């Protein structure tokens, strides 16, 4: 297998340990180095096994599974040898999810957001394989090269989140209940997104020709604060850059974008 993840794996890879007290090395701290040195597939505890009656094999070069989120959200993301990426529902209940992701793409495009070209083929969600730098790596490298441009691009990214949907005058019940429970002052809650895309974060974006291009926008919730998505974005960028962590306190970034200190609206 010669297909490697082209993203910052540390921010996405979250292992669970039955006995964390006996762990002497956190896998997520070394996984990027493992991939960089060409050892990702040799050391990954996962395999693609194909059983064929006529000894033929498919053109699959890599596959990842999300099978722990219920039948409707369980899917396989498959990269084919012809550089086509296919998201295939693992259960019949999930086939409508592929159509839903495509509708999310269309909604974002209608609001001026650049989204990787996508389509439905045989009930599956399909895109071309994109060989480009992911958003987390882009921000990490940019901070090391040009801090002024880093903040300029960070502001631009937050503007994209704010304009990704029509704005609403109400807030979703789940977050409203949290506000009441925690007795939080929401006078400065800011923009409420009619369609709030939780995955509109750097992990789900590429930097292509000077612009962020988004993909795989699975999860949408109505009437959520844009600051909830902005908070996710900041935490992911901050977690993906050790130099940023050493030089800038995360509260400084929170203050820049007017986030509440208790982060009551942090979502998925």
């Amino acid at each position: 297998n010669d297909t490697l993840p082209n993203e910052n794996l540390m921010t996405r890879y979250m292992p669970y340990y039955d006995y964390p007290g006996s762990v002497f090395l956190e896998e997520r701290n070394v996984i990027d180095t493992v991939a960089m040195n060409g050892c990702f597939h040799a050391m990954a505890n996962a395999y693609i096994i194909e059983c064929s009656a006529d000894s033929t094999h498919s053109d699959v070069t890599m596959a990842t599974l999300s099978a722990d989120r219920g039948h409707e959200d369980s899917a396989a993301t498959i990269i084919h040898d012809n550089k086509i990426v296919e998201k295939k529902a693992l259960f019949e209940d999930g086939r409508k999810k592929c159509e839903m992701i495509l509708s999310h793409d269309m909604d974002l495009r209608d609001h001026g957001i650049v989204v990787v070209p996508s389509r439905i083929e045989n009930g599956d969600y399909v895109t071309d394989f994109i060989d480009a730098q992911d958003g987390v790596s882009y921000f990490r490298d940019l901070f090391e090269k040009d801090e002024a441009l880093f903040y300029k691009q960070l502001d631009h990214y937050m503007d994209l989140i704010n304009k990704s949907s029509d704005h609403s005058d109400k807030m979703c019940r789940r977050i409203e209940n949290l506000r009441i429970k925690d007795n939080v002052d929401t006078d400065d809650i800011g923009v409420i997104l009619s369609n709030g895309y939780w995955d509109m974060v750097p992990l789900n974006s590429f930097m292509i020709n000077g612009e962020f291009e988004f993909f795989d926008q699975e999860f949408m919730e109505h009437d959520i604060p844009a600051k909830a998505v902005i908070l996710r974005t900041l935490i992911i960028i901050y977690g993906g850059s050790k130099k940023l962590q050493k030089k800038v306190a995360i509260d400084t970034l929170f203050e820049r974008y007017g986030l509440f200190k208790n982060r009551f609206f942090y979502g998925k």
Side-chain angles (χ1 to χ4, degrees):
N1 194 319
D2 59 356
T3 302
L4 290 169
N6 61 341
E7 61 182 331
N8 186 305
L9 292 169
M10 181 179 175
T11 54
R12 190 183 290 275
Y13 184 71
M14 299 179 183
Y16 294 90
Y17 301 105
D18 291 330
Y19 302 98
S22 64
V23 175
F24 64 90
L25 177 66
E26 286 278 357
E27 294 174 62
R28 66 190 304 269
N29 291 337
V30 298
I31 192 166
D32 284 320
T33 304
V34 167
M36 189 184 309
N37 285 280
C39 300
F40 181 80
H41 295 296
M43 299 187 69
N45 186 23
Y47 307 90
I48 294 177
I49 300 174
E50 293 190 295
C51 301
S52 173
D54 58 3
S55 299
T56 60
H57 299 286
S58 73
D59 65 345
V60 173
T61 62
M62 185 175 180
T64 59
L65 298 179
S66 298
D68 58 348
R69 302 185 299 191
H71 282 199
E72 187 172 322
D73 293 325
S74 294
T77 301
I78 301 166
I79 300 176
H80 294 271
D81 191 46
N82 61 359
K83 299 302 181 182
I84 294 297
V85 182
E86 172 188 23
K87 183 179 282 289
K88 181 183 289 290
L90 296 182
F91 303 96
E92 189 64 31
D93 296 353
R95 293 183 69 84
K96 60 183 179 182
K97 187 66 176 285
C98 294
E99 294 278 359
M100 185 182 299
I101 299 172
L102 185 66
S103 71
H104 292 169
D105 291 352
M106 295 170 65
D107 179 43
L108 286 168
R109 291 189 192 106
D110 287 344
H111 288 86
I113 305 301
V114 182
V115 182
V116 171
S118 54
R119 58 195 182 275
I120 297 294
E121 291 184 2
N122 301 317
D124 302 321
Y125 177 83
V126 175
T127 68
D128 291 338
F129 180 82
I130 305 297
D131 187 11
Q133 186 175 31
D134 70 277
V136 179
S137 299
Y138 170 75
F139 276 116
R140 179 197 63 207
D141 294 347
L142 192 59
F143 181 79
E144 296 176 7
K145 296 175 183 176
D146 188 335
E147 287 188 35
L149 184 56
F150 168 84
Y151 285 110
K152 181 179 180 180
Q153 286 293 79
L154 193 58
D155 289 345
H156 172 59
Y157 197 100
M158 303 317 177
D159 287 341
L160 291 177
I161 292 173
N162 281 320
K163 80 169 195 175
S164 64
S165 167
D166 294 341
H167 296 172
S168 175
D169 57 0
K170 59 183 178 179
M171 188 159 45
C172 73
R173 176 63 61 183
R174 179 176 64 83
I175 293 179
E176 177 68 12
N177 288 342
L178 286 174
R179 181 193 68 80
I180 295 171
K181 177 183 175 183
D182 293 343
N183 192 28
V184 175
D185 180 4
T186 58
D187 288 344
D188 189 31
I189 197 158
V191 169
I192 304 293
L193 302 173
S194 293
N195 295 338
Y197 292 97
W198 288 110
D199 283 338
M200 200 175 165
V201 293
L203 279 174
N204 290 71
S205 72
F206 297 112
M207 170 50 68
I208 301 176
N209 297 325
E211 186 55 275
F212 295 101
E213 192 160 328
F214 294 88
F215 66 94
D216 201 18
Q217 296 299 303
E218 270 191 81
F219 298 104
M220 185 273 288
E221 187 171 359
H222 295 297
D223 304 321
I224 66 169
K227 288 181 179 179
V229 184
I230 288 173
L231 177 61
R232 286 199 78 206
T233 296
L234 290 177
I235 290 175
I236 289 170
I237 291 173
Y238 197 79
S241 173
K242 292 182 180 179
K243 289 192 176 181
L244 180 61
Q245 294 167 28
K246 290 179 180 179
K247 192 166 183 178
V248 179
I250 195 167
D251 284 349
T252 301
L253 299 180
F254 289 164
E255 183 177 358
R256 185 181 183 91
Y257 298 104
L259 297 172
F260 301 124
K261 290 183 179 179
N262 64 7
R263 307 171 220 173
F264 81 98
F265 43 51
Y266 183 57
K268 288 185 177 70

